[in-house]
Amino acid sequence: MTKKATSKSSKPQPELKIKSSPAPTTTLTTTTLITSAMQAYLLSFVNRHLLDFDFEKRCSVSLVKDNCYCCLTCGQFFAGRGSKTPAYTHALERENHRVFMHLENGRAYSLPENVEILDKSLDDIRKVLFPKFTSEEIARLEKEATWSKALDGTEYLVGVVGLNRVENARGVNCVIQSLARVDKLRNSFLTTTTTTTNDTLQSLCQRIWNKHNFRGHTSPDSFVRKLKKQIKLANPDKLETDVDALFNDPFATLRHFLIFVVPKKHVDDLFRGELLMLNQKNKTQPFVFVPLKLPDAPLFRDVMEKNAIPQVSLAELLKPFALKTAPEYLILAFVNRFSKNQFTKEVSKNPTIVTFPVKNLKIASSPSSSSEKTTSTVSYDLLANVDAAGKATVKHVDGTWYETNDLFVGEVLAQQVTLGEAYVQIYERQQRTQK
C-alpha cells in the first residue's frame, strides 16, 4: 500500500486548508478545518494492525510519560506535537506518518500542520484505548458468552483472552485470570470511570472484557513493571531474585494482590471472613484466604517398588475448620505445595493430589456446641482453580470451563478440572445455607 502511494508522487496531493488566525508565540493553537479529500488521504495511512496500547505509555525518544501521542501509521509513541518535539520530528522524517492520537484524551492531529482531525472512523481506536461499558453491556456479560472478531479474522471469547507472559512473572497471569471470575470485583472495575493509565488491575480487567479489542490477547507488561517498581521503592535492599521469586509463585502473587493491589474495600466485602478452629477450643481467626496443609509425601516406595502419589480429599483438609463468618468468595490455598530447603535452598514440590468437588463444596458453619449432632453448612461452587504449573482453569459466565496458560486458551470438561495438582482455588458462595 505504501509503495503504491510513493510511486505516484507526481500526482498532486489534496491541498490542506487552514484558517489563518494570529496566535501568540507562547501558546500552541490548532484549527479544526480540513477538507474531506485531505482527511481521507491522511486516514488512508492509519495501520490498525501495528497499534498496541498494552505497553507503557512513554515517548520512545525522550522516555517521558507526559503529553504522549501515538503515531497511527507505525504505532510508536512520541511526546508533544509542537515544533522540535519528537512527534513533530517523526512526522517530518517519515513519509506519510502524519496522523497522531493523544494517549490521554484520544484527540487526533495531523502533523506537521498541527491540524485536528475530526472523523468518526477513528472511534474504533478510541474504544480500544479507552474501554467503556454501559450497564446493559455489563448485564449481558454476566448472562451470556460474547464472541468477538480480531483484526486478523480470528474469534476470541470476551473475558477469557490470552495474556502475554512477562519474564519472571509466571504467577501473575493465572492470578489475573482467576480474579477476573469474581463478578462483583469485575463489575466494579468495569463501571468505574476509565483511567488513562494501563498499569493498573482495573485497566487490565477492562481490556480482558473489552469486545472491541484488535487482538484476541492482551499484555500485563506495564502492570507487572509497576508492581516490581513499587516493591523496589518500598524495599531498596530487596534483591531482584527475591522479587522474581515472588511473582513466579501463584500463591505469593495472590497474597501480594490481596494486600497491595485489590482495593481494601473489595477485599473486606468479598473475601474476608472468620474461621472457627475446632481443634483449638473454637478459637476464632479472621482470614482472607484459608491456608490448608497437605500431608507429606511418602519417603519410601510401596510394596510394588513404586512411588505412590498420595491423595487427600478437600473435605478432610477442611475438617478442623468451621466458618463463623462465611465470605461471599472463599479462597483456599495449599500453602505447602512448594517448600524450600533451608540448607540447600532447593525448592521441592509436594505431589499430593487433592480431590475436590466442582459444585456444592459443603463447609461446616458455626456449631453452637461441640456436642451438637447436626451443624449447618455453607455450600460453595468453584470459580477458578490454579495448579502447581501455573495454569488457571476458570469458569465462564455460561458455565463452560476454560484452561488458560498464558496465550493458550482452550475449552475443557468439568471433569478435567480436578485432575491437576491444585494450588489455589476460588469458590463462590451459593445463595442458600443448608442444614
Side-chain angles (χ1 to χ4, degrees), residues 210-233:
N210 186 13
K211 65 180 181 181
H212 303 289
N213 288 334
F214 290 158
R215 300 175 180 83
H217 58 85
T218 185
S219 175
D221 179 79
S222 57
F223 174 60
V224 175
R225 287 176 181 271
K226 180 181 178 181
L227 292 181
K228 291 186 175 182
K229 185 178 179 181
Q230 290 175 345
I231 294 177
K232 292 296 291 182
L233 290 176

Side-chain angles (χ1 to χ4, degrees), residues 105-132:
N105 55 35
R107 298 176 67 178
Y109 297 88
S110 170
L111 297 180
E113 299 86 3
N114 192 29
V115 178
E116 183 173 6
I117 299 177
L118 302 176
D119 193 273
K120 291 186 177 181
S121 65
L122 299 178
D123 287 348
D124 62 333
I125 301 178
R126 296 186 180 98
K127 290 179 181 179
V128 177
L129 184 57
F130 309 112
K132 295 182 180 180

Side-chain angles (χ1 to χ4, degrees), residues 114-341:
N114 192 29
V115 178
E116 183 173 6
I117 299 177
L118 302 176
D119 193 273
K120 291 186 177 181
S121 65
L122 299 178
D123 287 348
D124 62 333
I125 301 178
R126 296 186 180 98
K127 290 179 181 179
V128 177
L129 184 57
F130 309 112
K132 295 182 180 180
F133 302 86
T134 63
S135 56
E136 292 78 10
E137 290 175 337
I138 295 176
R140 193 178 304 115
L141 290 176
E142 294 179 346
K143 297 178 180 178
E144 59 186 25
T146 303
W147 290 86
S148 187
K149 184 172 290 187
L151 288 179
D152 58 1
T154 60
E155 292 186 342
Y156 64 91
L157 181 60
V158 177
V160 190
V161 298
L163 297 177
N164 286 339
R165 180 168 181 178
V166 181
E167 186 179 4
N168 293 323
R170 182 176 63 92
V172 173
N173 287 350
C174 58
V175 172
I176 292 173
Q177 295 280 19
S178 301
L179 290 178
R181 304 310 112 200
V182 181
D183 53 0
K184 292 191 176 181
L185 180 64
R186 175 200 66 208
N187 293 346
S188 175
F189 285 154
L190 299 187
T191 54
T192 308
T193 305
T194 306
T195 59
T196 57
T197 60
N198 62 352
D199 55 3
T200 62
L201 182 61
Q202 175 191 342
S203 63
L204 188 56
C205 186
Q206 289 175 346
R207 297 201 301 271
I208 290 175
W209 290 91
N210 186 13
K211 65 180 181 181
H212 303 289
N213 288 334
F214 290 158
R215 300 175 180 83
H217 58 85
T218 185
S219 175
D221 179 79
S222 57
F223 174 60
V224 175
R225 287 176 181 271
K226 180 181 178 181
L227 292 181
K228 291 186 175 182
K229 185 178 179 181
Q230 290 175 345
I231 294 177
K232 292 296 291 182
L233 290 176
N235 305 280
D237 298 333
K238 200 175 186 66
L239 299 177
E240 190 71 25
T241 54
D242 294 335
V243 180
D244 294 340
L246 169 66
F247 291 114
N248 277 324
D249 186 349
F251 168 62
T253 303
L254 176 62
R255 184 170 55 184
H256 182 84
F257 275 38
L258 294 175
I259 298 175
F260 299 104
V261 179
V262 180
K264 186 177 183 300
K265 178 181 181 302
H266 297 315
V267 174
D268 294 339
D269 294 344
L270 302 178
F271 304 111
R272 191 172 298 280
E274 195 171 6
L275 278 178
L276 280 176
M277 319 293 285
L278 301 181
N279 54 358
Q280 298 182 20
K281 299 181 180 179
N282 287 354
K283 179 183 177 181
T284 60
Q285 177 69 42
F287 72 93
V288 174
F289 60 87
V290 180
L292 301 175
K293 291 199 66 175
L294 300 172
D296 295 330
L299 297 177
F300 306 101
R301 295 184 177 183
D302 58 9
V303 293
M304 302 298 295
E305 292 297 322
K306 294 182 179 180
N307 290 323
I309 299 177
Q311 294 189 15
V312 62
S313 67
L314 182 57
E316 186 71 22
L317 296 177
L318 289 171
K319 274 186 177 180
F321 307 104
L323 293 174
K324 183 177 182 180
T325 303
E328 190 165 356
Y329 297 91
L330 179 68
I331 300 178
L332 304 180
F334 306 100
V335 293
N336 63 333
R337 175 65 72 183
F338 293 94
S339 58
K340 188 175 183 180
N341 191 299

